[in-house]
């Protein structure tokens, strides 16, 4: 009897997958079928009362024995993992070594991605005397992967950064409660150096001195601008960042002299630890990720 792999997807993604219009899912389905799996697509909501032994989700926590897939910040890079928590992903557990990446290749590919992702800004960066703090959601809640609540991260930043202005941005996709807005207003009244905005990531990355965040993707994008970051939470791209907590704010003293090898890191992170859906060996890397996730594959012929 053939094993069955069930994809639980939202309506739009499920339609795209069924019609063969999603490049990465097409490759993933092809690998599964080549290895003896029957593939089915079901509504995302059905996952809560249907628990097949081999379930695949998009971004959502998978059921026991299942896997989840997610874009790794930009196309065409993907991950297939046993958990949706990025700080528990395979790459997050690895140690980065710049020596494993060719310097010439890294610089060439890094420049290519700079011009592809941020063509108007990444080649003309400045440092205009401010720290950029991209906020996410749940500003008053201290979650398990964070060293403190986001509002406290902002407060500690203002206390530790005594020279520069601090520009904090609200995420345009988040809805902030009256309590969160009141906490921000109180903080802004106490600290004249604090400016609050919504969005505007690319221009702020171009002009800031450094980034402070829990684990916003804005910090990963900052690597393409050569901007260092301080993280107050766990995440997969932590290797070249400085870490901070309420108990240890020394990262703010070290950030001025922190100059990691952004080019080699980006290539190591993406090319060596993600699935590049645009590469000829995409199906081999997908197969390897499925095996790593515990799904049986047929022996290679």
């Amino acid at each position: 009897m053939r094993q069955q792999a069930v994809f639980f997807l939202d309506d739009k993604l499920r339609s795209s997958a069924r019609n063969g219009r999603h490049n990465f899912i097409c490759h993933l389905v092809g690998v599964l079928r080549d290895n003896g799996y029957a593939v089915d697509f079901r509504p995302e909501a059905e996952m809560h009362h249907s628990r097949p032994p081999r379930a695949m989700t998009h971004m959502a926590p998978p059921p026991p024995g299942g896997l989840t897939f997610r874009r790794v910040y930009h196309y065409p890079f993907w991950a297939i993992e046993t958990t949706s928590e990025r700080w528990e992903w395979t790459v997050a557990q690895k140690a980065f070594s710049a020596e494993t990446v060719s310097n010439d290749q890294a610089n060439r590919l890094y420049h290519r991605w700079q011009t592809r992702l941020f063509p108007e800004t990444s080649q003309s960066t400045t440092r205009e005397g401010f720290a950029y703090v991209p906020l996410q959601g749940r500003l008053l809640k201290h979650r398990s992967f964070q060293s403190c609540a986001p509002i406290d991260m902002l407060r500690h930043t203002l206390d530790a950064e005594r020279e520069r202005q601090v520009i904090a941005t609200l995420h345009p996709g988040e809805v902030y409660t009256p309590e969160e807005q009141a906490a921000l207003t109180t903080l802004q009244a106490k600290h004249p150096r604090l400016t609050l905005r919504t969005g505007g990531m690319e221009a702020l990355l171009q002009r800031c001195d450094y980034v402070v965040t829990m684990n916003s993707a804005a910090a990963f994008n900052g690597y393409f601008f050569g901007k260092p970051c301080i993280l107050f939470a766990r995440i997969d791209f932590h290797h070249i960042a400085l870490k901070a907590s309420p108990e240890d704010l020394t990262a703010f003293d070290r950030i001025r002299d922190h100059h990691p090898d952004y080019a080699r890191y980006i290539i190591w992170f993406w090319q060596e630890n993600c699935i590049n859906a645009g590469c000829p060996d995409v199906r081999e890397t997908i197969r390897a990720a499925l095996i790593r996730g515990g799904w049986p594959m047929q022996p290679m012929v």
Side-chain angles (χ1 to χ4, degrees):
M1 182 177 178
R2 299 179 70 191
Q3 297 191 79
Q4 186 181 46
V6 180
F7 284 69
F8 293 99
L9 306 173
D10 64 49
D11 293 344
K12 184 177 179 180
L13 192 57
R14 192 170 73 257
S15 174
S16 177
R18 277 179 168 163
N19 293 321
R21 295 195 304 266
H22 194 287
N23 179 50
F24 176 73
I25 296 179
C26 282
H27 286 303
L28 176 51
V29 168
V31 172
L32 290 168
R33 286 175 172 159
D34 287 347
N35 283 272
Y37 286 81
V39 176
D40 189 20
F41 299 101
R42 298 181 190 172
E44 195 172 38
E46 288 188 11
M47 182 176 63
H48 301 292
H49 56 267
S50 174
R51 295 297 177 109
R54 303 297 176 194
M56 185 72 69
T57 67
H58 175 236
M59 297 173 60
L67 297 172
T68 186
F69 67 96
R70 181 171 183 158
R71 176 171 55 88
V72 186
Y73 304 108
H74 295 284
Y75 294 108
F77 299 100
W78 296 82
I80 298 173
E81 297 284 344
T82 58
T83 175
S84 60
E85 297 176 336
R86 293 188 179 208
W87 50 93
E88 299 291 351
W89 283 7
T90 304
V91 65
Q93 312 309 313
K94 291 186 177 182
F96 167 59
S97 176
E99 289 70 27
T100 66
V101 182
S102 162
N103 192 47
D104 290 341
Q105 178 195 38
N107 288 332
R108 183 172 65 255
L109 292 176
Y110 178 68
H111 178 71
R112 181 188 303 172
W113 281 107
Q114 281 181 308
T115 54
R116 180 180 297 186
L117 296 173
F118 307 105
E120 304 298 325
T121 53
S122 63
Q123 302 301 303
S124 57
T125 63
T126 58
R127 280 173 167 74
E128 300 183 14
F130 67 89
Y132 167 38
V133 186
L135 297 170
Q136 295 154 284
R138 304 187 191 183
L139 300 184
L140 307 183
K141 184 176 178 60
H142 178 189
R143 290 181 279 176
S144 61
F145 59 92
Q146 300 171 325
S147 66
C148 61
I151 193 69
D152 292 324
M153 171 189 70
L154 185 53
R155 185 178 295 111
H156 289 304
T157 297
L158 289 161
D159 289 340
E161 174 50 79
R162 299 181 181 278
E163 299 177 5
R164 299 171 179 85
Q165 299 293 308
V166 175
I167 299 179
T169 59
L170 302 179
H171 194 291
E174 292 283 349
V175 176
Y176 295 95
T177 66
E179 292 78 12
E180 290 173 320
Q181 295 174 16
L184 289 170
T185 299
T186 299
L187 203 57
Q188 190 174 31
K190 184 179 178 181
H191 295 275
R193 289 184 296 114
L194 173 62
T195 300
L196 296 174
R197 299 182 184 176
T198 298
M201 178 195 74
E202 186 171 343
L204 291 170
L205 287 176
Q206 181 187 27
R207 298 168 44 233
C208 73
D209 290 10
Y210 64 93
V211 180
V212 182
T213 186
M214 282 294 173
N215 57 14
S216 169
F220 181 80
N221 287 329
Y223 294 164
F224 295 97
F225 293 81
K227 300 301 175 73
C229 73
I230 296 174
L231 299 175
F232 275 77
R234 301 168 66 197
I235 194 58
D236 53 339
F237 59 83
H238 65 87
H239 306 80
I240 61 170
L242 298 180
K243 285 79 173 180
S245 68
E247 297 75 30
D248 183 2
L249 298 173
T250 57
F252 289 90
D253 299 323
R254 294 182 285 130
I255 193 69
R256 188 188 302 273
D257 299 317
H258 185 59
H259 305 291
D261 193 330
Y262 299 103
R264 282 181 168 175
Y265 181 73
I266 288 292
I267 303 312
W268 175 84
F269 186 86
W270 266 348
Q271 296 293 137
E272 296 189 15
N273 292 284
C274 296
I275 300 166
N276 185 340
C279 278
D281 67 348
V282 55
R283 296 203 175 193
E284 286 80 0
T285 54
I286 288 174
R287 186 177 187 277
L290 292 170
I291 292 173
R292 187 173 64 244
W295 285 26
M297 296 283 114
Q298 293 178 357
M300 296 288 285
V301 179

